[in-house]
């Protein structure tokens, strides 16, 4: 059948309802094809419309631009599925402005913009095949083993994507759809889901390509090449919870969003191929974002999935928690302890088990006699509260029967609510994929916690959901088909409700354990779940966080020093003598004598996480809980965290503007340095600071690679060091190796006890070596007025030749410049 290339009409309503993002890969052979390109007699389209459709004999391929550097590719054996909108998570609008199509002399369909060129091979190109065997060998094998012909062979629609200059980005070699009869509860739910197909695509993987992102994997890898990624939420995964966000960034200059929310396996680099395979789908759908630099890729991700809103300014300070502060009296005592010690604190957590029964949506009055008075007192101290609200409803509680009758609980295949392996005291999850249930859920939280008691922020735990939905039904369809999307809906239920009821007057902050494409737009902070308090987990957590932020989710943190205590055996001794004296903390750490040292090292790293939060199952968990030696060090870093607020808050505004994270694996900022491709335990915190956490017990130094292309300053000593070399950095127990890139401006604030009020600029440190720019942002810290351009920006510029700093825009300090500007010299 002759191929036919037509325009794909998309209505404005379909643009508004479009949902899910895509996936990127690369292509090596496109350059020759580009050089050989000659337009055929096919007329170039002056107005190509929103997309292009290639009808083939038994399948349809759709190429749908979303901008000059963003392309969606969809393929299916059913034309309606190939023409379907993207899945949940996507907010972008298709746009073919500037795109055109032709056909080259080799019969390739060529679709191009000013940024990308796409070649799609002719339908009749030879299929991939193995090397030949002699006839007798072949007949013997066929007799005993059959013909090895797959029932559903991959479809040979080679598609290559390159930059406009011909630089190869990605090649998809084949794709496949095989009938799938394993979709549990396929006929259940209000919206029955057909079994669909198992869908996959195979891409090229050159030996020098590296991969980052894909949510949270806690096995210790940064570069995901040569790894199999189980891209689905798994609380019980070894090391710590896996969280699936199917967005990957390649070192070749593209990002790829895989548009499928079912369980997905990603094999990267094996046999020079990348294979993406999802259990259930009606099409193969992915997006490719090309970028001249990594931030341009994140700008495309932002365009497709939504902005990363700024958090309340206090959330960039310090959040104190443990599992659990069980009473109102204890919570107030903790807050008072910080203020009595003149230590900064912005948020105090009221964790799980605060209720009378799970699902009552109340606070136990025996332990919380007057929550409204507690919050008023905390607010008077400049401290906000973060309240944990679980989505479970136990049978026999006041809302259970209503929720069950309305079908607002996640249901198993027989229609009954699914509590998983939890006891009857926990119960099933509410199904917030149902818009009515989601609205009720928010209204209940608002009317039972926020309005009467004055709680500020919400911790939405169990957002996987933690009851495995594989054999269950959501309102939107089967749990197997939509396995990974619950976190998007559940966090949106609260974010949308707060914006609906409070408008722009009150910023949302949600702490959530799992994520999905687009969940960053819901005012969310994600954390690494319930990891174990060990040195090994500290080491693995660093690359886990770097890949999570590389996924386009800027806000991630850990429970400082882990959540679960390991089992400490009798006679336990650490590998080295503890660097922190535990003798005055043994009542808290028992036989885990190096735990105060671990807490200190983790706390130092936490100072340079997007959000800094201590949590975990300990008797006491405050900065004074691990002995006097530890307290002095922890207090030092807590104050440093608040000194950095002007810098950190400005970085957060930049993330809002661009979608780019400010906790950045080194590949992001030093793409020309091949040595940084797989350094899992160093990163940039904004444009200025290189952080190298210490994760070895007893270590007083560590190796640090300083990227090439600039000089570096030791933050603590001001020593200037040439880049492109590995050094041994001193790391006594009170020091985290910290370096400043030459050509940086680092604003530091005055001492404050909470960040709700913007700290005054105490100093502007300039680290010479090249010209530098920094935009210092400030606003009210609590509203969404910044979305309408409100707030102040001071543009700082350092002229290295003149050794002069100039500034324009809003006045950020009142003292003479000479009293604020500090030029660092070795």
């Amino acid at each position: 059948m002759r191929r036919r290339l037509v325009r794909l009409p998309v209505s404005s309503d379909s643009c508004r309802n479009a949902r899910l993002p895509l996936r990127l890969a690369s292509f090596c052979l496109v350059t020759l094809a580009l050089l050989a390109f000659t337009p055929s007699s096919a007329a170039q389209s002056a107005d190509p419309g929103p997309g292009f459709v290639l009808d083939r004999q038994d399948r349809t391929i759709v190429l749908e631009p979303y901008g000059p550097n963003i392309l969606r590719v969809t393929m299916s054996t059913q034309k309606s599925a190939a023409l379907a909108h993207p899945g949940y998570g996507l907010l972008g609008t298709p746009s073919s402005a500037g795109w055109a199509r032709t056909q080259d002399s080799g019969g390739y369909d060529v679709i191009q913009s000013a940024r990308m060129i796409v070649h799609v091979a002719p339908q009749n190109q030879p299929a991939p095949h193995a090397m030949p065997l002699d006839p007798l060998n072949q007949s013997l094998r066929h007799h005993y083993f059959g013909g090895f012909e797959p029932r559903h062979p991959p479809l040979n629609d080679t598609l290559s994507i390159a930059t406009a200059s011909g630089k190869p980005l990605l090649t998809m070699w084949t794709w496949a759809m095989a009938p799938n009869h394993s979709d549990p509860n396929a006929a259940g739910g209000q919206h029955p889901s057909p079994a669909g197909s198992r869908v996959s695509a195979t891409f090229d993987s050159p030996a020098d390509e590296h991969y980052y992102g894909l949510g949270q994997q806690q096995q210790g890898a940064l570069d995901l090449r040569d790894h199999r990624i189980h891209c689905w939420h798994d609380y019980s995964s070894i090391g710590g919870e896996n969280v699936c966000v199917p967005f990957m960034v390649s070192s070749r200059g593209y990002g790829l969003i895989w548009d499928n929310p079912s369980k997905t396996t990603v094999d990267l680099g094996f046999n020079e191929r990348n294979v993406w395979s999802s259990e259930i789908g009606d099409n193969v759908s992915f997006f490719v974002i090309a970028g001249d630099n990594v931030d341009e890729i994140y700008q495309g991700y932002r365009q497709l999935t939504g902005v990363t809103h700024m958090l309340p300014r206090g959330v960039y300070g310090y959040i104190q928690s443990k599992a659990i502060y069980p009473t109102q009296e204890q919570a107030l005592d903790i807050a008072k302890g910080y203020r009595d010690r003149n230590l900064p604190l912005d948020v105090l957590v009221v964790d799980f088990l605060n209720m009378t029964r799970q699902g009552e949506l109340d606070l136990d009055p025996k332990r919380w006699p007057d929550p409204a008075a507690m919050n008023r007192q905390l607010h008077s101290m400049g401290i906000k509260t973060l309240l944990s609200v679980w989505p479970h409803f136990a049978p026999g509680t006041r809302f259970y029967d209503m929720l069950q009758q309305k079908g607002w609980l996640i249901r198993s295949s027989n229609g009954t609510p699914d509590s998983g392996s939890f006891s009857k005291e926990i119960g099933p999850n509410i199904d917030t994929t149902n818009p009515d249930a989601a609205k009720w859920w928010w209204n209940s939280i608002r009317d039972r916690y926020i309005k009467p008691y004055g709680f500020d922020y919400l911790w939405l735990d169990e957002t996987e959901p933690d009851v495995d939905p594989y054999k269950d039904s959501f309102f939107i369809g089967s749990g197997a088909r939509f396995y990974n999307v619950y976190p998007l809906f559940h966090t949106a239920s609260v974010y949308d409700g707060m914006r609906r009821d409070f408008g722009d007057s009150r910023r949302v902050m949600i702490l959530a354990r799992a994520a999905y494409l687009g969940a960053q737009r819901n005012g969310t902070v994600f954390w690494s779940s319930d990891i174990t308090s060990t040195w090994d987990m500290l080491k693995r957590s660093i690359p886990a966080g770097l890949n999570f932020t590389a996924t386009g989710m800027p806000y991630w943190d850990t429970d400082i020093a882990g959540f679960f205590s390991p089992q400490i055996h009798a006679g336990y001794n650490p590998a080295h003598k503890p660097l922190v004296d535990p003798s005055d903390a043994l009542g808290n750490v028992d036989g885990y004598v190096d735990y105060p040292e671990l807490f200190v090292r983790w706390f130092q790293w936490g100072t340079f996480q997007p959000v800094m939060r201590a949590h975990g199952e300990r008797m006491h968990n405050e900065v004074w809980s691990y002995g006097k030696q530890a307290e002095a060090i922890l207090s030092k870093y807590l104050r440093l965290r608040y000194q950095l607020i002007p810098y950190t808050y400005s970085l957060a505004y930049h993330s809002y503007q661009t979608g780019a994270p400010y906790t950045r694996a080194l590949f992001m900022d030093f793409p020309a340095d091949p040595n940084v491709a797989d350094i899992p335990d160093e990163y940039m915190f904004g444009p200025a600071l290189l952080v190298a956490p210490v994760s070895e017990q007893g270590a007083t130094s560590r190796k640090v690679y300083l990227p090439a292309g600039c000089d570096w300053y030791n933050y603590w000593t001001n020593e200037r060091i040439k880049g492109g070399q590995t050094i041994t950095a001193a790391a006594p127990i009170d020091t985290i190796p910290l370096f400043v890139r030459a050509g940086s401006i680092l604003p530091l604030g005055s001492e404050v006890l909470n960040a709700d009020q913007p700290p005054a600029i105490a100093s502007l440190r300039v680290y010479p070596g090249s010209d530098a720019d920094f935009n210092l942002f400030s606003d009210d810290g609590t509203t969404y007025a910044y979305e309408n351009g409100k707030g102040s920006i001071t543009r700082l510029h350092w002229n290295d030749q003149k050794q002069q700093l100039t500034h324009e825009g809003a006045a950020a300090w009142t003292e003479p410049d000479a009293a604020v500007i500090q030029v660092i010299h070795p």
Side-chain angles (χ1 to χ4, degrees):
M1 179 181 291
R2 186 172 63 87
R3 287 171 293 115
R4 185 162 56 91
L5 189 64
V6 300
R7 291 184 292 177
L8 171 64
V10 179
S11 70
S12 59
D13 285 341
S14 70
C15 294
R16 283 195 295 268
N17 294 330
R19 296 178 295 235
L20 231 159
L22 57 90
R23 145 99 177 103
L24 294 152
S26 45
F27 175 52
C28 296
L29 304 178
V30 69
T31 305
L32 291 176
L34 290 171
L35 294 174
F37 167 71
T38 55
S40 72
S41 58
Q44 183 166 319
S45 172
D47 178 16
F52 308 91
V53 177
L54 284 72
D55 282 327
R56 298 199 162 182
Q57 185 172 6
D58 54 0
R59 57 203 185 270
T60 302
I61 302 172
V62 179
L63 304 176
E64 188 175 32
Y66 278 67
N69 67 322
I70 304 174
L71 181 71
R72 182 188 181 208
V73 178
T74 313
M75 299 160 289
S76 181
T77 55
Q78 300 174 354
K79 184 168 184 175
S80 61
L83 297 174
H85 301 312
Y88 293 110
L90 190 75
L91 300 178
T93 300
S95 173
S96 291
W99 285 79
R101 56 97 174 170
T102 53
Q103 193 173 94
D104 71 8
S105 59
Y108 280 71
D109 292 301
V110 182
I111 299 170
Q112 63 188 97
S113 70
R115 297 292 307 279
M116 300 171 78
I117 302 178
V118 184
H119 282 68
V120 184
Q123 180 169 258
N124 59 358
Q125 76 165 345
H129 59 276
M131 292 184 291
L133 291 173
D134 62 88
L136 179 58
N137 194 331
Q138 188 68 59
S139 66
L140 289 169
R141 290 169 180 267
H142 184 82
H143 177 74
Y144 286 101
F145 301 111
F148 296 105
E149 293 297 329
R151 292 180 61 190
H152 304 281
L155 296 163
N156 190 34
D157 294 310
T158 300
L159 180 150
S160 64
I161 301 176
T163 66
S165 64
K167 174 189 172 185
L169 293 177
L170 171 71
T171 298
M172 186 200 74
W173 293 118
T174 60
W175 61 283
M177 295 181 66
N180 190 346
H181 305 293
S182 63
D183 186 355
N185 199 28
Q190 286 183 252
H191 296 283
S193 298
S197 301
R198 186 174 188 90
V199 298
S200 64
T202 299
F203 303 87
D204 68 332
S205 178
D208 61 349
E209 186 174 16
H210 307 279
Y211 309 105
Y212 311 93
L214 289 177
Q216 178 176 274
Q217 309 284 324
Q218 305 203 66
Q219 286 74 55
L222 177 65
D223 182 2
L224 299 178
R225 186 183 183 87
D226 301 328
H227 287 78
R228 166 170 284 185
I229 305 301
H230 288 153
C231 196
W232 60 82
H233 308 318
D234 182 2
Y235 176 84
S236 301
S237 182
I238 189 168
E241 180 170 10
N242 280 358
V243 172
C244 175
V245 183
F247 171 52
M248 184 185 78
V249 175
S250 163
S251 61
R252 297 181 82 192
Y254 69 86
L256 187 146
I257 301 172
W258 182 256
D259 181 8
N260 190 301
S262 71
K263 284 188 173 183
T264 297
T265 300
V266 191
D267 295 329
L268 296 172
F270 296 95
N271 299 314
E272 300 180 347
R273 296 289 186 269
N274 295 336
V275 180
W276 293 68
S277 177
S278 294
E279 291 193 358
I280 302 171
D282 298 319
N283 57 32
V284 169
S285 176
F286 58 91
F287 290 76
V288 177
I289 310 167
D292 293 335
N293 54 63
V294 72
D295 282 8
E296 192 172 8
I297 296 172
Y298 290 116
Q299 185 74 50
Y301 182 78
R302 179 187 189 270
Q303 176 183 330
L304 289 170
T305 66
V307 305
T308 299
H309 296 287
M310 294 194 72
L311 303 172
R313 185 166 44 231
V315 174
Y316 299 98
Y318 178 61
I319 302 174
Q320 177 62 57
S321 181
K322 79 161 190 172
I324 60 175
Y325 295 125
T327 68
Q328 175 176 323
E329 180 182 16
Q330 189 173 126
L332 288 169
D333 284 345
I334 298 303
K336 187 173 183 294
Y338 276 88
R339 290 299 178 254
D340 288 348
R341 291 169 175 82
N342 202 37
L343 291 172
L345 173 65
D346 265 276
V347 182
L348 187 67
V349 177
V350 176
D351 195 6
F352 181 47
L353 303 182
N354 51 57
M355 65 288 170
T356 55
R357 294 182 65 190
Q358 180 57 54
E360 289 290 340
L361 298 180
D362 64 355
L363 295 172
D364 186 348
K366 295 178 182 177
R367 295 182 287 123
W368 307 92
D370 195 344
M374 176 192 73
N375 279 317
R376 286 194 299 270
Q377 187 172 348
L378 290 171
H379 291 167
S380 71
M381 301 163 70
I383 298 171
K384 300 292 198 299
T385 46
L386 172 64
L387 175 70
S388 175
V389 184
W390 278 33
H392 291 279
F393 290 84
T397 51
R398 72 177 72 186
F399 303 115
Y400 183 86
D401 289 343
M402 178 273 293
L403 294 171
Q404 183 181 21
Q405 290 166 8
K406 289 181 178 289
W408 290 355
L409 298 171
I410 297 176
R411 306 179 305 286
S412 61
S413 58
N414 63 12
T416 60
D418 185 5
S419 297
S421 59
F422 284 121
S423 73
K424 64 179 182 180
E425 298 301 324
I426 300 295
N429 288 68
I430 188 171
D431 181 6
T432 41
T433 72
N434 183 316
D436 294 329
K439 188 173 183 179
W440 176 88
W441 167 247
W442 158 249
N443 289 345
S444 299
I445 292 172
R446 177 198 64 200
D447 295 341
R448 300 182 69 81
Y449 293 123
I450 294 178
K451 285 188 173 180
Y453 297 147
F455 284 100
D456 301 285
Y457 315 128
L458 293 169
W459 182 349
L460 299 182
D461 209 333
E462 310 289 278
T463 51
E464 295 87 352
D466 58 329
V467 175
D468 186 344
Y470 192 77
K471 296 182 179 180
D472 292 340
S473 286
F474 294 125
F475 173 83
I476 57 173
S478 78
R481 178 178 284 267
F482 296 105
Y483 193 89
N484 289 316
V485 300
Y486 187 84
L488 173 65
F489 283 90
H490 196 63
T491 55
S493 68
V494 167
Y495 174 80
D496 292 344
M498 289 198 76
R499 292 301 298 262
R500 185 170 57 245
D501 289 343
F502 295 103
D504 293 347
S505 66
R506 178 173 182 160
R507 285 186 204 171
V508 180
M509 183 273 191
I510 297 168
L511 184 62
R513 193 167 68 193
Y516 190 64
L517 297 164
Q520 80 282 349
R521 64 179 181 254
N522 293 334
T524 41
V525 176
F526 304 99
W527 99 100
S528 58
S529 188
D530 302 334
I531 54 179
T532 304
S533 302
T534 63
W535 289 94
D536 180 67
M537 201 62 237
L538 167 57
K539 188 174 185 177
R540 295 178 189 274
S541 294
I542 300 167
L546 295 179
N547 268 321
F548 192 88
T549 57
T551 307
M553 306 274 176
Y555 294 123
W556 178 93
D557 75 359
T558 61
D559 296 342
I560 286 178
F563 182 78
F564 292 123
S565 170
Q567 298 298 308
I568 306 300
H569 300 284
Y572 166 79
N573 285 299
H576 307 280
K577 180 181 178 181
L579 297 178
V580 174
D581 178 12
S583 60
D584 51 350
L586 294 178
N588 193 29
V589 302
D590 196 22
Y592 198 173
V593 292
D594 53 321
Y595 187 74
E597 180 186 347
L598 175 63
F599 194 94
V600 164
R601 289 304 195 190
W602 211 311
F603 197 91
Q604 290 170 346
W605 174 42
T607 303
F608 302 96
Q609 291 178 20
V611 172
M612 185 183 188
R613 182 182 56 86
H615 187 58
E617 291 190 326
R618 269 88 72 178
M619 186 181 303
H620 304 289
N621 199 46
E622 301 71 48
V623 296
W624 56 86
S625 303
Y626 297 102
K628 291 296 183 184
Q629 183 186 1
E631 181 179 351
I633 302 169
L634 300 174
S635 298
K636 166 186 169 180
Y637 282 90
L638 187 54
R639 292 189 172 98
L640 176 58
R641 174 75 181 190
Y642 279 77
Q643 278 185 286
L644 289 168
I645 289 290
Y647 176 71
T648 306
Y649 196 66
S650 299
L651 301 181
Y653 183 67
H654 183 72
S655 288
Y656 160 72
Q657 291 178 305
T658 66
Y662 56 91
T663 301
R664 303 166 64 87
L666 296 181
F667 81 90
M668 295 185 185
D669 294 308
F670 305 97
D673 187 342
N675 296 313
V676 306
D678 194 20
I679 297 179
D681 60 351
E682 299 177 29
Y683 62 96
M684 295 299 294
F685 190 69
L689 298 175
L690 186 150
V691 185
V694 177
S695 58
E696 299 290 341
Q697 195 272 316
T700 56
S701 65
R702 63 153 290 177
K703 299 290 186 183
V704 177
Y705 178 74
L706 299 174
C710 60
D711 287 353
W712 297 86
Y713 291 80
N714 185 314
Y715 176 84
W716 306 108
T717 67
N718 293 335
E719 176 190 5
R720 185 167 174 172
I721 309 166
K722 184 175 179 59
Q725 63 172 320
T726 299
I727 66 168
T728 298
I733 188 58
D734 66 345
T735 301
I736 183 174
L738 185 64
F739 298 87
V740 188
R741 178 164 32 186
S744 292
I745 302 169
L746 183 65
L748 297 176
S750 58
E751 287 195 16
V752 293
L753 292 180
N754 69 82
D756 248 357
Q757 298 299 318
I761 300 299
S763 66
L764 283 174
R765 293 189 184 179
V766 178
Y767 293 82
S770 69
D771 289 355
D773 294 281
F774 190 83
N775 289 336
L776 188 63
F777 177 77
S778 183
D779 69 349
D780 59 40
T782 59
T783 75
Y784 287 98
Y786 67 85
E787 293 182 327
N788 299 313
K790 301 295 177 62
S792 64
I793 297 176
T794 307
R795 289 173 288 277
L796 309 171
H797 176 72
W798 168 254
N799 185 312
D800 203 57
Q801 183 177 2
K802 295 181 178 180
Q803 294 285 288
Q804 181 183 48
L805 186 134
T806 57
H807 51 90
E808 61 181 16
W813 56 88
T814 56
E815 297 84 354
D817 285 359
V820 174
I821 298 168
Q822 180 184 2
V823 179
I824 302 299
H825 296 289

